[in-house]
């Protein structure tokens, strides 16, 4: 089985916290999937407007916002301002060469890792994935559409298991 290695990118003396996409996958629109749930309720919405992600705060539900398309840094910066994310967090989200790590901040936790998948039955590919968990919300950031989270979406929509009775920390774990 072959492992496809990603291209590396050099930064050109940018100050820390500069949000510049360093990846290959270009998309013209940011695809946003918003899942809002509690034990008894479930809502799912797909959108291309980042502002739609701000309509679910202030309730006793868990909100999962999945962003597909890291090259639209303006949308990611807008989301970062809304959720009070540190500028270095935003930089790590769009830097596809960032090593896997876990960082704890005052009001959220950041996890950066690589999502592995097989393509064409003989190649292992990987994609940069960032996950932020805060009180009653989880934000995930992916380079492009398509991922390994479909089973999780199914568990949420069908209320299988205990996932809809738990908080955002359990969603991150799942």
């Amino acid at each position: 089985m072959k492992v496809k290695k990603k291209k590396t990118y050099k930064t050109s003396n940018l100050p820390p916290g500069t949000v510049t996409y360093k990846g290959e996958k270009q998309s013209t629109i940011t695809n946003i999937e918003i899942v809002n749930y509690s034990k008894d309720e479930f809502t799912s919405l797909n959108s291309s407007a980042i502002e739609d992600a701000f309509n679910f705060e202030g309730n006793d539900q868990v909100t999962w916002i999945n962003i597909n398309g890291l090259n639209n840094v303006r949308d990611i910066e807008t989301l970062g301002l809304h959720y009070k994310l540190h500028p270095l967090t935003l930089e790590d989200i769009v830097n596809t060469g960032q090593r896997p790590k876990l960082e704890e901040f005052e009001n959220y936790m950041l996890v950066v890792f690589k999502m592995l998948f097989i393509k064409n039955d003989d190649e292992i590919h990987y994609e940069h994935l960032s996950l932020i968990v805060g009180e009653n919300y989880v934000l995930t950031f992916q380079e492009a559409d398509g991922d390994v989270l479909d089973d999780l979406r199914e568990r949420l929509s069908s209320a299988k298991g205990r996932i809809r009775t738990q908080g955002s920390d359990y969603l991150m774990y799942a």
Side-chain angles (χ1 to χ4, degrees), residues 88-89 92 98-103 105 110-113 131:
L88 293 176
T89 297
D92 290 343
Q98 175 62 48
R99 293 179 182 171
K101 68 177 182 175
L102 181 135
E103 281 189 293
F105 291 85
L110 166 69
V111 182
V112 177
F113 56 98
L131 191 145

Side-chain angles (χ1 to χ4, degrees), residues 65-84:
I65 301 169
N66 183 50
I67 309 290
N68 291 312
L70 299 181
N71 64 312
N72 297 310
V73 295
R74 205 169 283 161
D75 287 341
I76 293 171
E77 288 175 319
T78 301
L79 193 69
L81 283 172
H82 184 78
Y83 282 95
K84 298 175 180 66

Side-chain angles (χ1 to χ4, degrees), residues 107-125:
N107 60 337
Y108 65 92
M109 186 169 43
L110 166 69
V111 182
V112 177
F113 56 98
K114 304 302 179 194
M115 178 173 50
L116 300 174
F117 58 96
I118 297 176
K119 201 174 200 179
N120 301 331
D121 293 328
D122 65 340
E123 289 183 322
I124 297 175
H125 289 260

